[in-house]
Amino acid sequence: MISPKKYAKAAKVLPKGFKSANEFFNYVYNDPDMIWMGQNTNHLHDQDGISEAMVASIQGNDYCKYPPPEGFPRLKELVMKDLGLGSEYDILITAGATESLYMCANDILEPENNTITCDPGYLIIDNFASRFGDHVKSVPIYSQECGYKLTPELVRENLDKNTKLVSLVDPLNPLGSSYTRQERKEFKEIAEDHDIYLLHDITYRDFAHDHQLMAEVCPEHTVTVYSFSKIYGMAGMRIGAVIGVPEIINSIRTIVVNDLGTNLVAQNGAMAAIESKPQWIDRVKGTTRQNQDIIKQAVDQVDGAFIAVYPSDGNMMAIDMVDTGVTPREMADYLIERKIFAREGSYTSKKFGHRYLRVSFSIPTNQVEYFAKCFLEGMDALKGSKKV
């Protein structure tokens, strides 16, 4: 009998009435009236040329053929131009940022190595790092003292001779915290002084008020993970990229599994997405920032509730509820009955998941207004039910 591998896995706390995560997500996906605030997806695209490019690709029967194994050269050029990186860097197109993260952990880590991540954070990275290295140091960062992020000081405190990789999700899922230029300079010094690699996951970069690539600051020690899932609204197409200096990317090439290429239809959509970006980026960012203000106004009306990081530099935020008398799990269950999909915190934190509800807000404003109304009504209803 095959023994299941035991890796660091994110907890999947299911709403009432569901037996598995797949059953729940199938339910959410198939409800056309569901408001999607639980997976940081972007629902603000319409006639931007992205879906039209994918439809044209399908109608042309492009899907009958395999694409170039490392991605269309035009798409690779567009990603590099979007990042402002030159020919001194190399790139592979991947089946989403998740595949990029997996390949980075696989390639960089040896069995004796450890990885530094943070809690809260994107726990899939902990999972991957625990497969290929010795262990993961998940540093608690849910505190105003450290600005709700993995600071250079915390990294120095947790480094040892076997540390090989530091994960920087920037902006951070689920909190929306980001890094200053001074902090990025300090990460560069740490990486160079200790010969470690920085895994710079920039999935939410385009939502940030200010952002700088670690690849620009510390190219020899940085691998950059790029995603089309969020700002481009292409989560279901599973397309992303990994970028680094040629030495790093050539090493990653040796462990590529998907050597017949990434979804061809998705690549056509991705090219249209980057090319059309100047036409819609300000609108999408403006709407998300307006939406988080609406959520903040509702949260401020609840005694004991607060937003951990505000304004968020991502398209999500964590609403701390620990002192309200209502748990995030109770609120998530209440909201799903009102066709709002939000996520209680255990999905992104082992230590602090009981404290917060994570909500994303790259959705139409009228849906955010409905959430704000239901959140306040839910607080009253759930508190009232406990007094009976």
Side-chain angles (χ1 to χ4, degrees):
M1 179 179 178
I2 299 174
S3 299
K5 302 295 189 297
K6 295 180 175 60
Y7 302 122
K9 294 273 290 186
K12 289 185 170 63
V13 179
L14 301 174
K16 293 181 295 185
F18 294 94
K19 297 178 181 178
S20 69
N22 199 74
E23 180 187 358
F24 169 66
F25 285 112
N26 184 64
Y27 165 77
V28 171
Y29 173 82
N30 282 295
D31 187 338
D33 297 322
M34 188 66 66
I35 296 175
W36 209 278
M37 301 179 74
Q39 292 187 303
N40 306 344
T41 46
N42 183 1
H43 304 260
L44 293 174
H45 286 281
D46 189 10
Q47 300 298 314
D48 291 330
I50 302 171
S51 62
E52 293 85 350
M54 292 189 284
V55 169
S57 176
I58 292 170
Q59 290 176 336
N61 291 333
D62 289 349
Y63 55 85
C64 297
K65 300 170 284 187
Y66 288 114
E70 295 184 3
F72 286 115
R74 175 62 179 159
L75 177 56
K76 296 167 73 173
E77 291 170 6
L78 286 168
V79 172
M80 299 300 272
K81 182 179 179 181
D82 182 58
L83 295 177
L85 299 177
S87 58
E88 65 272 30
Y89 298 89
D90 201 355
I91 177 174
L92 300 176
I93 301 300
T94 63
T98 299
E99 183 182 51
S100 297
L101 293 168
Y102 183 90
M103 290 196 299
C104 291
N106 186 348
D107 187 59
I108 293 171
L109 296 171
E110 298 294 340
E112 68 273 14
N113 294 147
N114 65 65
T115 299
I116 295 177
T117 65
C118 64
D119 184 343
Y122 190 48
L123 298 184
I124 287 174
I125 297 174
D126 298 53
N127 180 319
F128 294 162
S130 69
R131 299 185 185 202
F132 301 108
D134 181 68
H135 65 280
V136 174
K137 294 184 177 182
S138 183
V139 180
I141 54 99
Y142 196 80
S143 167
Q144 287 185 334
E145 184 177 347
C146 62
Y148 293 96
K149 56 187 172 182
L150 182 65
T151 62
E153 291 79 10
L154 288 173
V155 170
R156 290 190 187 98
E157 291 172 11
N158 287 276
L159 275 172
D160 64 35
K161 65 179 182 179
N162 290 321
T163 302
K164 196 64 176 178
L165 187 64
V166 175
S167 171
L168 300 176
V169 181
D170 175 28
L172 178 63
N173 175 18
L175 301 175
S177 45
S178 194
Y179 291 103
T180 66
R181 291 179 179 265
Q182 176 60 35
E183 287 168 335
R184 293 185 179 99
K185 179 182 177 183
E186 293 182 46
F187 282 128
K188 163 187 166 67
E189 295 168 354
I190 292 170
E192 292 178 345
D193 290 347
H194 297 273
D195 191 26
I196 62 176
Y197 288 92
L198 304 172
L199 181 60
H200 198 200
D201 182 340
I202 60 167
T203 294
Y204 303 97
R205 166 181 180 260
D206 285 296
F207 293 103
H209 292 78
D210 181 41
H211 194 273
Q212 181 184 26
L213 296 174
M214 283 305 309
E216 296 174 330
V217 180
C218 187
E220 301 298 325
H221 293 265
T222 298
V223 58
T224 303
V225 172
Y226 186 99
S227 174
F228 285 88
S229 293
K230 308 308 181 190
I231 196 67
Y232 299 111
M234 297 178 63
M237 298 308 298
R238 311 311 307 128
I239 182 164
V242 57
I243 301 102
V245 295
E247 179 185 1
I248 293 173
I249 299 302
N250 283 333
S251 183
I252 292 175
R253 279 188 172 95
T254 66
I255 51 92
V256 166
V257 173
N258 190 19
D259 61 358
L260 292 178
T262 301
N263 187 307
L264 186 148
V265 175
Q267 290 194 61
N268 279 290
M271 287 186 280
I274 298 181
E275 289 172 333
S276 66
K277 192 174 186 178
Q279 302 167 22
W280 50 257
I281 184 65
D282 289 341
R283 170 178 59 82
V284 170
K285 290 172 69 172
T287 300
T288 56
R289 290 174 184 174
Q290 176 187 354
N291 287 348
Q292 69 169 304
D293 290 345
I294 294 170
I295 297 171
K296 174 71 159 53
Q297 291 169 18
V299 172
D300 285 349
Q301 297 178 49
V302 178
D303 289 340
F306 67 92
I307 296 172
V309 176
Y310 182 84
S312 167
D313 268 329
N315 67 334
M316 88 302 290
M317 58 174 53
I319 303 173
D320 193 296
M321 301 170 55
V322 75
D323 292 327
T324 66
V326 175
T327 70
R329 171 78 182 273
E330 290 169 338
M331 180 58 74
D333 286 343
Y334 178 90
L335 292 172
I336 202 71
E337 292 178 357
R338 282 140 190 86
K339 296 189 179 297
I340 300 173
F341 170 34
R343 210 67 172 272
E344 52 80 33
S346 66
Y347 178 70
T348 50
S349 176
K350 294 179 180 179
K351 291 183 171 66
F352 307 103
H354 66 287
R355 294 190 62 106
Y356 63 83
L357 181 79
R358 187 196 67 182
V359 296
S360 56
F361 40 81
S362 46
I363 59 176
T365 297
N366 66 308
Q367 295 183 357
V368 175
E369 291 170 339
Y370 176 66
F371 163 80
K373 174 178 177 289
C374 290
F375 179 78
L376 292 174
E377 291 175 348
M379 278 291 178
D380 289 340
L382 292 166
K383 287 180 181 179
S385 67
K386 296 181 179 183
K387 294 178 181 179
V388 177

